[in-house]
Amino acid sequence: MDYIKITETPSNHDNLEQLETATLLQKINEEDKKVADAVALVIPQITTLVDGLAQRFETGGRLFYIGAGTSGRLGVLDASEIPPTYGMPRERVVGVIAGGDVAIRNSVEHAEDDGEQAWKDLMAHNITANDVVVGIAASGTTPYVIGGVNKAKENGLLTAGVTNNPGSPLAKAADIAIAVNVGPEFVTGSTRMKSGTSQKLVLNMISTALMIKIGRVKGNKMVHMQLSNVKLVDRGVRYVMEGLGISYDEAEQLLEKHGSVKAAIDAVKK
């Protein structure tokens, strides 16, 4: 191994079981404060990925996240929020987790150790060279993720690796290495903590910036969001009110008629 596995290095804190609750929480918070600064250092790499994604999305490309355990769950979470938030078909951003959907709630033993399965899982979605695969693995050594990224790259797809170990096999395998060095975890090796938080921030940045770039946001509003509950309908009505300078009742009628904030505003402005 020609790199330092930072995710497994000893915590900066010790004798945790002897600390008072408030002290424990304070020290966890101190470590968490380092995460956003670490993410800031990889913005150039995230920029390259988002621009590549936007270009491919305009011609029908899709985004696939692949991961195992916590990393896989975070990919599934980010993908699952795109349809309600931005009104995109659910097949455009897809989270694939080692062990299948059952692994979202339960640990599936050895699923992450199969270096061939990720590509099989991706092929079930009729993947093409116009798609993008983002592998997520805090350690950067997960066979499921590395295998999927390698096969995707061999088949002409743009690939990225989100990891917390610079120089790891995943970082080397991907076209774009997004290696966020958050330092040792508060509890040694517990990568669901700072590493997981950094992954959530990075995925938020990728998908949000992508949706803005492809026109799913107007100004600062989610104008394509699904109107699937009372809260979202009320939010949509207020967006239409603001966009057109009309009353709540008028905006509500327009939104009901046209089905989305953008469609309602466009219909009036045309």
Side-chain angles (χ1 to χ4, degrees):
M1 185 174 69
D2 58 353
Y3 69 99
I4 299 172
K5 203 167 185 181
I6 297 165
T7 53
E8 296 297 329
T9 54
S11 171
N12 294 320
H13 310 270
D14 204 353
N15 302 312
L16 303 183
E17 72 281 5
Q18 299 175 20
L19 300 179
E20 296 291 335
T21 302
T23 304
L24 276 172
L25 300 178
Q26 179 184 13
K27 290 183 179 296
I28 292 172
N29 182 245
E30 287 173 2
E31 291 296 328
D32 287 344
K33 288 176 181 177
K34 301 175 183 178
V35 176
D37 288 340
V39 171
L41 297 177
V42 298
I43 286 177
Q45 290 78 21
I46 301 173
T47 300
T48 301
L49 173 59
V50 171
D51 286 342
L53 271 165
Q55 182 181 7
R56 287 161 176 77
F57 254 67
E58 295 292 352
T59 55
R62 297 168 292 172
L63 166 59
F64 289 88
Y65 293 127
I66 58 172
T70 298
S71 298
R73 294 181 189 105
L74 288 169
V76 171
L77 171 64
D78 194 75
S80 69
E81 292 177 342
I82 299 306
T85 307
Y86 297 108
M88 292 292 289
R90 61 182 62 257
E91 63 269 16
R92 296 300 299 278
V93 180
V94 180
V96 178
I97 184 170
D101 284 355
V102 67
I104 295 171
R105 291 182 177 272
N106 303 285
S107 175
V108 178
E109 289 188 22
H110 305 301
E112 69 174 55
D113 297 328
D114 188 339
E116 305 294 327
Q117 188 59 45
W119 184 245
K120 295 175 184 176
D121 293 342
L122 289 169
M123 288 296 288
H125 294 274
N126 299 312
I127 201 158
T128 75
N130 202 32
D131 297 324
V132 177
V133 171
V134 176
I136 314 165
S139 67
T141 59
T142 307
Y144 179 87
V145 177
I146 295 168
V149 166
N150 279 329
K151 287 293 291 184
K153 193 173 178 180
E154 287 173 17
N155 284 273
L157 282 76
L158 177 65
T159 63
V162 180
T163 178
N164 298 99
N165 282 324
S168 64
L170 176 58
K172 291 180 177 179
D175 295 307
I176 304 166
I178 301 172
V180 189
N181 182 356
V182 296
E185 295 290 356
F186 181 72
V187 175
T188 300
S190 182
T191 53
R192 73 183 187 89
M193 300 185 75
K194 289 195 297 180
S195 296
T197 299
S198 75
Q199 291 171 5
K200 180 67 167 68
L201 292 178
V202 169
L203 300 189
N204 282 349
M205 294 169 81
I206 293 168
S207 58
T208 302
L210 172 63
M211 291 299 113
I212 294 169
K213 296 281 287 183
I214 65 172
R216 307 307 286 186
V217 171
K218 180 69 174 176
N220 56 21
K221 304 295 194 300
M222 300 174 287
V223 293
H224 289 277
M225 65 183 177
Q226 292 179 356
L227 306 173
S228 54
N229 58 46
V230 172
K231 177 190 72 177
L232 294 179
V233 171
D234 177 69
R235 181 185 295 163
V237 171
R238 294 182 187 281
Y239 286 176
V240 175
M241 283 178 63
E242 182 179 323
L244 297 175
I246 59 178
S247 71
Y248 189 98
D249 288 343
E250 290 173 309
E252 188 173 30
Q253 291 172 15
L254 280 171
L255 189 63
E256 184 176 350
K257 178 180 179 180
H258 296 285
S260 79
V261 173
K262 185 176 188 302
I265 293 175
D266 286 350
V268 172
K269 287 190 172 181
K270 286 178 182 176

